[in-house]
Amino acid sequence: MTFAGAGLDRAVAERRRPEWVEARREEPGARALLLSERGVWMEDGRLLLVRPGDGAVFLGVSGDVPVFATDVGADEPASGAPAGLREAATELPAAEAGLVAYAASLLSWHRRHRFCANCGHPTEPRDAGHERECPACGAHHFPRTDPVVIVRVTDGTRLLLGRKAEWPERRYSILAGYVEPGEALEDAVRREIQEEAGVEVLSTSYVASQPWPFPSSLMLGFHATATPEDPRPHDLELADVRWFEPGEVEEAAAGRGAAFLPPPFTIARRLIDGWLAVVQAPGRSG
C-alpha cells in the first residue's frame, strides 16, 4: 500500500535520549530527506538525501542508516526540485513513498504547532521531534492523525460512486468522511453514507488502511452493503452520486467509459479493484 510500510525502526525508547539522537546524527552514513510545503525534494526520479543538520527530526533507522527529515522552509537546496506527494508516490518505491508520507506528516505538524494551544507560548521540540513541550505551562503536544472512513458501498450487484463538486466533471470515487468525536468507526460509516448519499447501510466490515499525508490522516477502508434505493446528494460536498454497474466500473478502470477513477496508489482504487475482482469471478457477486 502506497504511503505505508516505511520499513524503519523508529527506536521509540532510544530516541528519548538526546545524546543518542545526536550520536546517530553524527554518523557518517546518516541521511535526511528534504521537504517543504511545496513537497519533497527529488533529483533524477530519486529522493535527494543530505547530511542531517541540527534542526532535522529523527525518523528512525533503516538497516544501519539513521534517517532524518529537514524542513527547508524558504532555504531551498540548489540541486533537485520539489515534487508533490502524489507525484512522488507514482515515481518512488513503496517503502520510500511511505518514508516520505511519514516525514511530510511529522514536519507539517511541527509547522502548525509552533505555539501552545493551552497558553499561546512558543513550544519546543522534544523526543527527537515526536513531541513539543510548552516551557511556560508545561503542556505536552503530540502529533495527531485524523481518522477517515472510506467506504466501498454495494447493493449486492452495483457500486456506489460519487463526485465532489470541485472535481472534474467525470471524476468519481467511493465515499469518505472524517470520524467525529465519540463515534465508532462503523457508526461513522453509516452516518457518512446516509449524509452524503441518502443510502442506508445494512452491514459493514473492515478491509485495509492507508496513511494519507494531506496533511495527516489515516484512511480506514471499509466494505458496506446497503439498501438499493436511488442515491442523491444530501449536502454540498457531492455534485453527483449514483450506482455503477460492474461493466461501467470495469470500463472506467481501463481508462475508458464515462467516468475516471482514482489513481492506482490510493486506497480508494484498491477497494474498487478488489470489488471488481470479486464480481468478475465466475458465479460470484459483490
Side-chain angles (χ1 to χ4, degrees), residues 219-285:
M219 309 297 289
L220 300 156
F222 279 81
H223 175 84
T225 302
T227 54
E229 66 253 38
D230 291 336
R232 61 188 185 280
H234 271 220
D235 54 30
L236 298 178
E237 184 173 352
L238 295 182
D240 185 34
V241 59
R242 66 182 181 89
W243 294 111
F244 280 72
E245 299 287 346
E248 295 179 284
V249 181
E250 184 177 2
E251 287 290 296
R256 305 184 296 266
F260 296 127
L261 297 180
F265 67 83
T266 63
I267 188 172
R269 183 58 177 270
R270 179 178 175 181
L271 291 170
I272 293 171
D273 289 346
W275 176 78
L276 272 179
V278 171
V279 297
Q280 290 170 342
R284 302 184 68 180
S285 66

Side-chain angles (χ1 to χ4, degrees), residues 78-168:
S79 59
L85 299 191
R86 289 179 174 85
E87 176 187 350
T90 65
E91 298 185 33
L92 295 173
E96 292 187 4
L99 184 62
V100 169
Y102 173 20
S105 292
L106 190 58
L107 293 179
S108 176
W109 173 75
H110 278 284
R111 293 187 205 109
R112 293 179 287 116
H113 290 81
R114 294 182 298 115
F115 298 92
C116 179
N118 187 50
C119 72
H121 194 278
T123 57
E124 299 175 354
R126 297 284 187 270
D127 192 15
H130 293 257
E131 177 185 345
R132 296 188 73 91
E133 183 179 5
C134 178
C137 71
H140 295 260
H141 305 278
F142 300 91
R144 61 172 294 171
T145 298
D146 297 318
V148 179
V149 291
I150 182 164
V151 192
R152 178 179 66 201
V153 182
T154 80
D155 66 353
T157 57
R158 300 175 297 175
L159 180 68
L160 187 68
L161 298 176
R163 181 175 63 81
K164 288 189 175 182
E166 66 268 23
W167 287 356

Side-chain angles (χ1 to χ4, degrees), residues 49-69:
L49 302 175
V50 301
R51 291 282 303 164
D54 291 340
V57 299
F58 176 74
L59 300 179
V61 180
S62 177
D64 58 356
V65 177
V67 183
F68 293 76

